Structure formats: structure tokens, C-alpha cells
Amino acid sequence: MRRKILGDFQTPLPLAEQIVAFLQQQGLSWTRLLEPTCGKGNFIRAALHQQPQADIIGIETQAEYVQQARALAFPATAASSAVRIYHESIFSLNLQQDLQWQSDGPLLVVGNPPWVTNAEQGALEGGNLPEKSNFKNFTGMDALTGKSNFDIAEYIWIQLLESFAQIPGAIALLTKLSTARSVLKHCYDHHLPVNGLHLYKIDAQRWFNVAVEAGLLLVHRCADHPDYQLQVYSSFEASAPEATVTIYQDMVVADQKTLDHIEFIGGKSSLQWRQGVKHDAASVMELRRVDGAWHNKLGEVVNVEDEFIFPLFKSSDLRKRRPEIQKGLILTQRFIGQDTAHLRQTAPRLWRYLDAHRPYFDARKSSIYRGKPSFTLFGVGDYTFSPYKVMVSGFYRPPYFVLVEPHDGKPVVCDDTCYLLPCDSLLQATVASNALNHFVTMRYLDAVMFKDAKRPLTKTILDRINLAELVRQIPPHELLQSNQPLPGIADQNLSALFSPQVEQLPLL
């Protein structure tokens, strides 16, 4: 459990030795070496074998590892007298001021920072976290919910890059591929002086028994002409990259060559994509109809006012071309922040049910629920109750965009693993879903999505699809394919459905 809480994946000595030897083969030289999360000190041991006269500092927060690293650093030889192990957290140090170097010269930062996110550590009550801050400068709900979640290694990367931006040398850390892309985006956004990023894949299953794509991310400092590309190599022995990740229209993308041929798609959606309902109480809030009665995930029969139960799609449902409604979701609010106290009088059965299950709501760890009305939700608003929608899961490749109509007179909702595009009419929803499922859109999405991402399709990607221009480029008969007749639209300018003046059109 401690390994999971701390993101503690100790680097085997053979891998550490292979990495240090590889860095030397790349022509790197250093007089100083920093291992920012040194653990037992295997990178330090490997570095001592290669350059025993180097000025070496290790930082480690766990006392037992500090002892082991110090035992490696202080054998009975004069050669290692310049090795020091700080019993500190990297998050508590000012790396420019607090490290007492005994020499000057090129600096190599090498190591293996924790492979865990801030949210995962918070949920597991781990303490190996930076001071709480919105270091990505997100605003509104993005600052409170999943978008502000980040890998601890990403934070460490940024701390190192910014602390040592003016010092000659390089940084080489074992890193998940998804984190490497985030580091690339930060370097680009903040104009950091780096000469490209190079990731050399390793077999993470073999070395760490984890099924993720990861490798050694190597970043050189450069004084002039920074290069914001991530070259991905299949191994340390590979002579050419197998993929190049670049920045395109301020997005990290997998295939810029394809995008150059369909650049008309990229832009800004005139309709706003929304994430589904966030409740973090699935055992109580998500229901399934069994023999004519609603049951929760605890196996209990749920008898509440029907007007508060809405048909529900989850990600697994949206994988299907024609998903069937089998689930329901209790909605306690119609907009974020709405007081729920009125439910005591307006929906007494619902109130009794929620109150009886209050511990499930009190156990929600996310800070977004603090100080909010009882049984509060997020991801609710007028868009939630739009009768026509296009929905898509954020988890699956290739994505499929589902046209959603009312069910039994109620709007269908989705959970926060999904995204929805609220539409004003069946016509608008039909055209949007057909355009989004078009092969041209699939090419675009394949070029901007990453298969190893936990959530390959994001709101950022969806908001960059210029629906109006996309519809202009697709033949009308391909956009009007529908299971229902759509009369009287032969002469309509379909792209106008997605212009800012959409409300002025005669919609079905």
C-alpha cells in the first residue's frame, strides 16, 4: 500500500546503470549530479561507477531510504566525499538556494520521480505532495475538478526546468509518456529554453510490473532557438524516432502531417461541449430498473418521486451504435449551487432516502463538495435538460457520437466520464452527430488523441472542432441521414445551424 500511496517504484540497479551509460554515450558530461527523489540511491551508485569525482546530491523524504542511500554514498573512499543526501521533500526545497554545491559546471538531473497523481495521493491520504496550489492557472470549475489533476512527476519536472533554466546541462527522468506530453506543453506555454524533448521507451512491465507506456525523458537546456517537439524512440538502441509529438494550434497532437491536410476542422466550436453529471456517489445515485422497480447499487429498492429520476447513459453504453436505456440517475439540483433543502417538503420520499444514505455523500473526498448544499451535484445546468443531445465517451478509441433523444418524455443525462453537446432540435442534433462521426472528423481525432491517455478524448479537443466549417465541407445528404424523417430542410444552409445566429433559424 505504501508503494501505491507514494508512487514508489524503486529503479533496479541494472536499469540505472544502463541509463547512466546511455547518457554518457549521448555525449553528456557533468561535474554535478542531482537525483531529486533518490530512494535507495541506485542512480547515485550508477553515477559513482561512471564518474566517481562528480559533485552529487540526492533528495529523499523517507528515512529508511535516506539511510540506505547514505550507506552507498559514504564508503571508505575519498572519491565519494562530495556526495550528500538531503532528508527532505523536494517540494519543501528552493532548488536554486537550498542545495549546497561544492563545485560549478554542467548539471545532470537524473532519477525516477513518483508515478502517481495528486488526486490519487490525496484519495489515499499520502503526504508526498506539493503545497496545494493551482499551478496550471486553471479557472472556474477546471481549477476544482479533474482538469487540475496532475502527475506528481509533472510537478517535479516543472520545478526542475524552471529552477535550472539558466544552468548548462540536462534533465533525464523516467517518466510516463502521458506526463512527457504535459511537460512538452508546459515548456511551450512558458517559452522555456529547451532543445526538444526525447523519450526512450523502456519495458515498464518488466522493470516495474506496471502496464503503462514510459521511458527516459531527456531534455537539454538551450540558450537560443528552443525546439518544442517530443521525439519518441522505441528503445535506447533506436537510431530514429518512431513518433513525433508536436504542438498544433496550442494543442499537443500525435500527427501534425494529417492535420495540415484537414486544418479547416480545427478552430472553435460555436456550441459548447459539456461534461456530464458529477456526483461521486454511484452506490446511491445511480439506479437500475429491475422487474418494474428501481434498485441502487447496494441492492436496495428505491422508492422516491419519479420526477427526480432521469434516464442515464454511461461510457460503456455510448460504445454502442444504438444504446438502450437501462439505468437512471437521481438529480437533486437543476443548476450548480441550488439549495436542496426544499426537497424535504417538495420530495419527502427522496429526502428520506438521501438522508438515510448521507454517509455516502459525506465520504466524498473532492474539495468541490465542501460548503455546498446537502447532496450537491456538479455538471448540471440548462444543458443537462436539453431534450436533444449528442453524447460521446471520453474513454474509447475510436469515439462514437450518439444522437440522443428524450426517453419516456424525459431528457437523457450522462455521467462525468462522458461529454454532451446540447442541441436545440432533432435536426441540429442529427447534423452534428453525422458530421462528428464522418471519416474526416475521425481522421482529425485520430491525429490529436493518444491511445495511452487515461481519457483520450477531452473537452479541450471537442471544443476545437469547428462544427460550422466541418458541416460546410460535408455533402448535405451525408449529414441528413436519420432514422426519422426530417421534412422541409432541403434548401436550408446546414452550416448555419452552428453559427452564433442559430436561434434565428426555423428549427424542427
Side-chain angles (χ1 to χ4, degrees):
M1 174 60 76
R2 185 187 71 175
R3 184 176 190 247
K4 184 176 181 181
I5 290 176
L6 296 174
D8 182 3
F9 295 94
Q10 292 296 303
T11 309
L13 180 60
L15 178 58
E17 291 175 334
Q18 181 182 6
I19 288 171
V20 173
F22 171 76
L23 294 175
Q24 284 197 316
Q25 293 167 9
Q26 295 297 301
L28 285 177
S29 62
W30 61 88
T31 59
R32 297 180 292 169
L33 183 140
L34 169 66
E35 187 177 359
T37 54
C38 71
K40 299 176 182 179
N42 280 340
F43 273 107
I44 291 175
R45 176 187 286 182
L48 285 170
H49 290 168
Q50 295 290 339
Q51 294 199 37
Q53 301 296 334
D55 184 7
I56 298 176
I57 290 178
I59 302 170
E60 176 54 45
T61 186
Q62 298 186 70
E64 62 269 37
Y65 286 166
V66 170
Q67 293 177 0
Q68 294 179 59
R70 285 177 174 167
L72 291 174
F74 294 104
T77 64
S80 62
S81 61
V83 178
R84 293 166 311 287
I85 308 299
Y86 287 48
H87 186 191
E88 299 280 356
S89 166
I90 185 175
F91 307 123
S92 65
L93 293 173
N94 182 320
L95 298 181
Q96 292 176 306
Q97 300 176 6
D98 295 340
L99 303 184
Q100 302 300 311
W101 296 104
Q102 298 180 7
S103 62
D104 295 320
L107 171 67
L108 172 64
V109 183
V110 67
N112 182 12
W115 293 12
V116 68
T117 67
N118 64 324
E120 289 166 340
Q121 277 216 354
L124 293 167
E125 299 181 354
N128 190 30
L129 284 166
E131 183 179 349
K132 295 291 184 180
S133 68
N134 180 16
F135 82 100
K136 292 189 177 183
N137 298 317
F138 289 126
T139 59
M141 284 299 297
D142 285 343
L144 295 173
T145 55
K147 193 170 182 180
S148 60
N149 189 26
F150 60 91
D151 206 278
I152 297 299
E154 179 186 348
Y155 190 100
I156 292 174
W157 261 107
I158 291 168
Q159 187 178 3
L160 294 168
L161 286 165
E162 295 182 346
S163 296
F164 302 131
Q166 304 306 317
I167 297 177
I171 304 174
L173 304 178
L174 287 171
T175 306
K176 292 188 294 185
L177 182 53
S178 57
T179 301
R181 294 193 295 267
S182 296
V183 173
L184 171 66
K185 185 64 163 62
H186 184 89
C187 292
Y188 171 82
D189 288 342
H190 296 268
H191 310 290
L192 297 184
V194 299
N195 185 21
L197 288 75
H198 303 265
L199 185 131
Y200 301 87
K201 287 185 178 180
I202 63 166
D203 186 346
Q205 188 70 55
R206 170 195 173 192
W207 292 110
F208 300 106
N209 196 30
V210 291
V212 298
E213 286 203 78
L216 182 74
L217 178 59
L218 173 61
V219 179
H220 295 269
R221 175 191 173 273
C222 69
D224 302 305
H225 308 298
D227 178 17
Y228 300 115
Q229 293 188 98
L230 171 61
Q231 306 279 1
V232 180
Y233 295 79
S234 60
S235 67
F236 291 121
E237 293 77 26
S239 58
E242 65 176 13
T244 300
V245 179
T246 58
I247 305 293
Y248 182 85
Q249 295 182 345
D250 288 334
M251 282 195 307
V252 180
V253 301
D255 181 3
Q256 183 173 338
K257 290 182 180 179
T258 294
L259 296 174
D260 288 337
H261 294 290
I262 51 175
E263 60 182 354
F264 63 86
I265 296 180
K268 183 174 177 59
S269 175
S270 56
L271 302 184
Q272 186 174 4
W273 284 91
R274 302 282 189 169
Q275 202 161 349
V277 179
K278 180 177 176 62
H279 53 76
D280 293 319
S283 298
V284 176
M285 301 293 278
E286 294 182 5
L287 312 177
R288 182 179 288 273
R289 179 79 76 173
V290 180
D291 296 330
W294 288 111
H295 292 68
N296 63 22
K297 291 191 173 184
L298 302 173
E300 303 167 340
V301 175
V302 177
N303 181 17
V304 303
E305 289 80 0
D306 186 68
E307 65 188 277
F308 294 92
I309 301 176
F310 290 81
L312 170 68
F313 279 150
K314 296 174 68 68
S315 275
S316 55
D317 301 311
L318 296 177
R319 295 187 71 178
K320 307 167 187 174
R321 293 299 187 261
R322 296 183 181 178
E324 297 180 2
I325 297 290
Q326 298 178 331
K327 306 178 185 72
L329 180 67
I330 295 173
L331 295 185
T332 58
Q333 297 167 304
R334 295 191 72 89
F335 56 85
I336 294 175
Q338 181 183 16
D339 190 2
T340 57
H342 70 91
L343 296 175
R344 191 189 298 268
Q345 283 75 41
T346 59
R349 283 182 289 150
L350 175 59
W351 182 266
R352 287 195 296 271
Y353 171 75
L354 295 172
D355 194 48
H357 295 84
R358 190 179 290 270
Y360 290 90
F361 296 93
D362 292 343
R364 298 185 295 187
K365 291 184 178 295
S366 176
S367 61
I368 65 174
Y369 300 110
R370 295 174 194 160
K372 300 299 188 297
S374 298
F375 321 120
T376 201
L377 306 173
F378 285 88
V380 288
D382 290 342
Y383 52 89
T384 308
F385 304 95
S386 174
Y388 299 103
K389 303 180 179 77
V390 177
M391 291 184 182
V392 64
S393 167
F395 288 158
Y396 300 110
R397 290 187 65 190
Y400 183 73
F401 295 85
V402 177
L403 168 62
V404 179
E405 303 176 50
H407 179 76
D408 290 340
K410 291 183 176 180
V412 180
V413 302
C414 58
D415 69 8
D416 63 339
T417 66
C418 311
Y419 302 97
L420 64 97
L421 187 71
C423 297
D424 294 323
S425 67
L426 176 59
L427 172 61
Q428 190 182 52
T430 298
V431 173
S433 62
N434 287 334
L436 291 164
N437 285 319
H438 196 273
F439 76 89
V440 174
T441 311
M442 291 298 111
R443 285 184 63 200
Y444 175 82
L445 292 174
D446 190 56
V448 300
M449 293 168 62
F450 294 93
K451 64 180 181 180
D452 65 302
K454 186 176 181 180
R455 188 185 290 251
L457 185 62
T458 65
K459 185 177 182 298
T460 298
I461 292 174
L462 292 168
D463 281 338
R464 292 297 183 89
I465 299 175
N466 185 340
L467 265 174
E469 188 59 35
L470 178 61
V471 168
R472 256 190 290 272
Q473 299 286 337
I474 300 175
H477 72 275
E478 297 181 20
L479 297 170
L480 296 174
Q481 297 175 5
S482 173
N483 295 323
Q484 298 187 26
L486 299 171
I489 46 85
D491 297 327
Q492 183 153 316
N493 177 10
L494 295 180
S495 65
L497 290 167
F498 306 97
S499 72
Q501 292 77 36
V502 66
E503 66 275 8
Q504 299 175 11
L505 293 170
L507 299 175
L508 297 178

